[in-house]
Amino acid sequence: MRNDLYWMWLTLKSSVNAGTAAALLDRFGQAEEIYKNKNYSDIQGIGKEALEQLADKSLDAAEKIAERIDEIGGYILTIEDEDYPMLLRNISDPPYVLYAKGRKLDWKRRFAVGVVGTRKCTDYGIAAAERISGDLAGAGATIVSGMARGIDAAAARAAIKSGGETVAVLGSGLDVIYPREHEELYEKITKHGAVMTEFPPGTQPLRSNFPRRNRIIAGMSYGVLIAQAPKKSGALITASLALENGRDVFAVPGSIFDPHQEGANILIRSGAKAVLSADDIISEYPYLHIAPVKNGAEEAETAGHSETVSSETAAPERGPDPIQREFTDDDKKKLTEGLDQNETAVVMRLFEGSAHIDELSRELGLSAAETGTALIMLEMRGIVKNTGGNVFTLNAGQDMR
């Protein structure tokens, strides 16, 4: 039995809200175990309608969705899959299922930046979105947007033109392209990245879907850039969701006399970083060592194939890390003996390579205080060391005998 069918079965239960689903997973661990269980009455806060829906064990709806996704050439990701966006797992309300079309991306190796803004943008907003998004994508970042009219579309097109990578998150089903005039852009995005949504096929672009779409854009990104937004804009909802989940917020400043810029200017006044170029964003993440794409923009445009930008070149690269090769499995076991849960999580992550303290917090879902405390204790034991700029690595000189 396909494991994703159980996850779809769970998410299709309309009365099982995010809190109930989280409680079920906390109790049973996996969707399959929830499906196999017949008694949920001891789950705190679960309602009568949710209990009735969970009693229905039919997988027919899930199987039909899987067939439809196959028909349109897509694929399904669940929160337990390796290809699921790494940062997205750590938000307060992660989507348990994502329907996608395009490349399967290695999210452990991607520096994603959300770029959003108003649909009713000016030439200034378009130019700012194109310049910054194009430069970010050319430098190796993955541009994440909502494929909406205006700023979102400009950001995606600029990423593609630069030879980079882009991801669009929809507020509709994978087979419902909205707005309709973006059908060509949709197809281009699938060749230069991926289109994703948590909504099953056939879902129409209802107004209530877009705030949920926005939380995914913010959740899978290290930071979100508001390229242009008036005082009342859906882009500001994305900025708010980014802050709630510990993501960085950037904004392009504009004229104080332009109402199209009022929202972005207010964000800057409230603490968002003012951005004039892609370097203003990249400089915030020195520990990611972002690798520029190798292929030129003209080659990317004329080729038009998914192979144009390989996942290896589009991904943020770390330098070679000899630490991984210097510790045996026995060493790893000894290093984690006697550590608490947070300390163990940090050490296990550092076996993959060095990491900045902020990166550790985001990847492990720990608060800054929890990560800092774990690192201090590990430094005192001589297990890790700070190589400068709060970038930590395992101590290769640790005596394991």
Side-chain angles (χ1 to χ4, degrees):
M1 179 69 70
R2 291 175 49 168
N3 197 45
D4 55 11
L5 293 177
Y6 300 118
W7 286 102
M8 286 186 280
W9 168 84
L10 178 64
T11 58
L12 290 172
K13 306 299 183 185
S14 60
S15 295
V16 178
N17 58 30
T20 300
L24 288 166
L25 288 167
D26 185 58
R27 171 67 184 279
F28 298 107
Q30 295 180 341
E32 182 178 359
E33 295 304 315
I34 298 173
Y35 175 83
K36 291 178 178 178
N37 190 71
K38 295 181 179 180
N39 182 17
Y40 311 98
S41 57
D42 59 339
I43 303 296
Q44 187 174 3
I46 193 166
K48 181 180 177 180
E49 291 184 2
L51 287 172
E52 290 175 352
Q53 291 181 4
L54 289 167
D56 179 3
K57 303 298 184 178
S58 172
L59 294 174
D60 289 350
E63 289 172 345
K64 287 180 180 178
I65 288 174
E67 290 173 4
R68 178 59 180 153
I69 294 298
D70 287 341
E71 285 176 4
I72 63 178
Y75 56 92
I76 300 169
L77 293 174
T78 73
I79 196 168
E80 66 182 2
D81 292 335
E82 289 186 2
D83 294 330
Y84 186 92
M86 177 182 63
L87 295 179
L88 191 57
R89 283 193 179 96
N90 297 327
I91 69 172
S92 57
D93 179 19
Y96 296 117
V97 176
L98 287 172
Y99 305 100
K101 185 176 180 180
R103 300 178 185 174
K104 286 192 175 181
L105 309 177
D106 178 5
W107 287 94
K108 289 182 180 179
R109 296 168 55 83
R110 263 158 184 78
F111 169 54
V113 178
V115 180
V116 297
T118 180
R119 292 169 172 81
K120 299 178 180 179
C121 51
T122 64
D123 290 344
Y124 171 80
I126 290 289
E130 289 179 342
R131 175 178 170 181
I132 297 172
S133 298
D135 288 349
L136 280 170
T142 298
I143 302 300
V144 183
S145 69
M147 208 180 79
R149 297 183 182 97
I151 297 298
D152 289 34
R157 289 189 178 107
I160 293 169
K161 187 176 182 180
S162 72
E165 185 176 72
T166 185
V167 170
V169 185
L170 306 183
S172 60
L174 201 61
D175 56 350
V176 180
I177 299 175
Y178 178 81
R180 196 66 205 174
E181 65 264 26
H182 285 172
E183 185 173 355
E184 182 181 353
L185 177 60
Y186 176 103
E187 294 301 328
K188 283 188 175 182
I189 292 172
T190 63
K191 292 182 174 67
H192 294 265
V195 175
M196 296 184 171
T197 180
E198 71 174 318
F199 301 106
T203 303
Q204 296 302 307
L206 303 176
R207 182 183 294 271
S208 60
N209 293 351
F210 291 95
R212 296 193 59 77
R213 182 275 309 269
N214 293 346
R215 92 187 191 290
I216 296 176
I217 294 174
M220 63 172 56
S221 304
Y222 279 86
V224 174
L225 171 67
I226 311 302
Q228 185 176 56
K231 191 173 183 179
K232 294 182 178 180
S233 170
L236 300 188
I237 296 176
T238 309
S240 176
L241 291 166
L243 290 172
E244 286 177 14
N245 288 287
R247 307 300 191 256
D248 299 314
V249 175
F250 307 96
V252 176
S255 170
I256 62 173
F257 303 107
D258 184 356
H260 295 89
Q261 290 295 146
E262 190 173 6
N265 287 340
I266 290 173
L267 284 175
I268 293 170
R269 186 179 65 189
S270 300
K273 180 176 180 178
V275 168
L276 304 181
S277 70
D279 287 340
D280 291 332
I281 295 176
I282 293 171
S283 64
E284 292 294 306
Y285 308 97
Y287 51 89
L288 290 180
H289 306 296
I290 307 165
V293 296
K294 293 180 180 179
N295 294 320
E298 290 184 9
E299 181 183 351
E301 281 295 284
T302 55
H305 297 298
S306 59
E307 293 82 3
T308 300
V309 185
S310 73
S311 61
E312 294 298 314
T313 58
E317 298 276 359
R318 294 188 181 280
D321 199 335
I323 298 301
Q324 289 178 277
R325 296 190 294 272
E326 294 184 11
F327 288 95
T328 66
D329 289 342
D330 188 50
D331 290 339
K332 291 178 181 180
K333 183 178 180 181
K334 290 179 181 179
L335 270 178
T336 54
E337 284 179 350
L339 303 183
D340 67 21
Q341 183 176 351
N342 292 345
E343 292 163 1
T344 300
V346 169
V347 172
M348 294 304 294
R349 167 58 185 84
L350 291 179
F351 283 134
E352 300 175 13
S354 58
H356 190 274
I357 185 172
D358 292 343
E359 188 178 8
L360 289 170
S361 293
R362 283 175 172 146
E363 291 188 16
L364 301 176
L366 301 176
S367 68
E370 290 172 329
T371 307
T373 299
L375 287 167
I376 289 171
M377 296 304 297
L378 291 169
E379 276 193 287
M380 290 174 62
R381 294 186 177 100
I383 296 174
V384 306
K385 62 181 179 180
N386 189 336
T387 60
N390 281 328
V391 175
F392 290 84
T393 188
L394 291 175
N395 186 1
Q398 172 78 358
D399 186 0
M400 296 305 303
R401 290 172 292 180

